[in-house]
Amino acid sequence: NTPTFIAVIAMICLTIYMFYPGIMNADSADQLMQARAFKFTDWHPPMMSFLWFLLNHFSDGAQSMFVFHNLVFWAALALLSFFVFPASNLYRVLFIVCFGLFPTILVQLGTVFKDSSMSISLFLTAVLFLYAEKRKGQTHKAWSDPILWIAIIFLFYGFAVRLNAAPAVLVLCVWFGNIVVRKSFFKGAAIGLLLFCALIVVNQIITAGVLKPIKTY
């Protein structure tokens, strides 16, 4: 497995070297200013700015979110490579390099936009769901699988970071339901819908009750 880990680390370093400290637009600059001031508006969902506020304690500026995005993406891709090619280091390395350097992927890794936050978070969620689905026959209850609950954290963040993330998140919620309910698609879909509603409620509670954005939208 060592060549695979070396390839992942090399790709992380290459991406950071190419784009550091990350490319921002006016929206991203506005969100960074909100993170620094810990004062939010509802023109953008404030969750990314809140995370940025936390990351700024390590390094203030675009680079903190930029590095976070890349760590999440390359970790997800490494996990996916092990899932697709469990027995071949060569295929895993080729997969990581070709997938990561594909232009439409690489351009998002260099940017610090909420679009990138959403897509990278949902990518990791989907990869973790693959592992949870594979493991569900190995554990007594899928509910007890920690992989599934780590995935829910990133699913929530991907949902909360963009206003139009809901359609993609709904599909992933239905997938979640069918991981925890093994035999009935409709019961799984119902659980997925409940999870989707829970994400809406929790996001609303955190946004309105904790972050309290100024209404400008």
Side-chain angles (χ1 to χ4, degrees):
N1 298 336
T2 302
T4 303
F5 293 122
I6 291 174
V8 171
I9 293 171
M11 294 304 292
I12 292 172
C13 294
L14 176 63
T15 310
I16 293 175
Y17 173 76
M18 288 171 62
F19 296 109
Y20 190 89
I23 301 164
M24 298 201 307
N25 64 3
D27 286 350
S28 302
D30 181 41
Q31 289 178 284
L32 176 56
M33 286 168 46
Q34 293 180 37
R36 285 171 169 166
F38 201 75
K39 292 182 180 179
F40 309 102
T41 73
D42 64 352
W43 189 260
H44 311 285
M47 198 60 66
M48 180 175 172
S49 294
F50 175 62
L51 175 61
W52 217 333
F53 164 77
L54 299 177
L55 294 175
N56 278 344
H57 286 79
F58 298 95
S59 179
D60 181 68
Q63 65 276 3
S64 58
M65 186 64 72
F66 167 68
V67 171
F68 172 76
H69 282 173
N70 275 275
L71 291 177
V72 172
F73 172 81
W74 291 108
L77 187 57
L79 289 172
L80 183 60
S81 73
F82 277 101
F83 186 89
V84 177
F85 302 109
S88 173
N89 267 307
L90 175 61
Y91 286 163
R92 285 197 295 265
V93 170
L94 290 174
F95 179 73
I96 288 167
V97 172
C98 293
F99 191 110
L101 292 181
F102 197 75
T104 54
I105 301 294
L106 190 63
V107 70
Q108 286 213 48
L109 297 180
T111 59
V112 187
F113 303 156
K114 56 183 178 289
D115 311 63
S116 302
S117 271
M118 179 191 72
S119 56
I120 290 168
S121 298
L122 297 187
F123 175 46
L124 179 58
T125 299
V127 172
L128 293 176
F129 278 0
L130 284 173
Y131 276 92
E133 191 166 45
K134 183 179 180 180
R135 285 158 50 94
K136 68 181 181 181
Q138 303 170 6
T139 56
H140 181 62
K141 293 181 179 180
W143 293 101
S144 63
D145 191 343
I147 289 177
L148 203 57
W149 296 107
I150 294 172
I152 294 299
I153 295 172
F154 285 94
L155 179 65
F156 171 74
Y157 179 68
F159 170 75
V161 79
R162 268 197 68 89
L163 294 171
N164 61 352
V169 171
L170 178 59
V171 173
L172 290 170
C173 285
V174 173
W175 186 5
F176 167 86
N178 280 276
I179 292 173
V180 299
V181 177
R182 303 179 185 182
K183 297 181 179 180
S184 173
F185 171 81
F186 295 104
K187 287 183 180 179
I191 290 175
L193 288 174
L194 287 175
L195 172 61
F196 184 70
C197 293
L199 293 178
I200 294 174
V201 171
V202 172
N203 183 47
Q204 184 62 26
I205 290 172
I206 294 175
T207 300
V210 179
L211 304 181
K212 300 178 180 178
I214 300 168
K215 296 186 179 299
T216 59
Y217 178 65

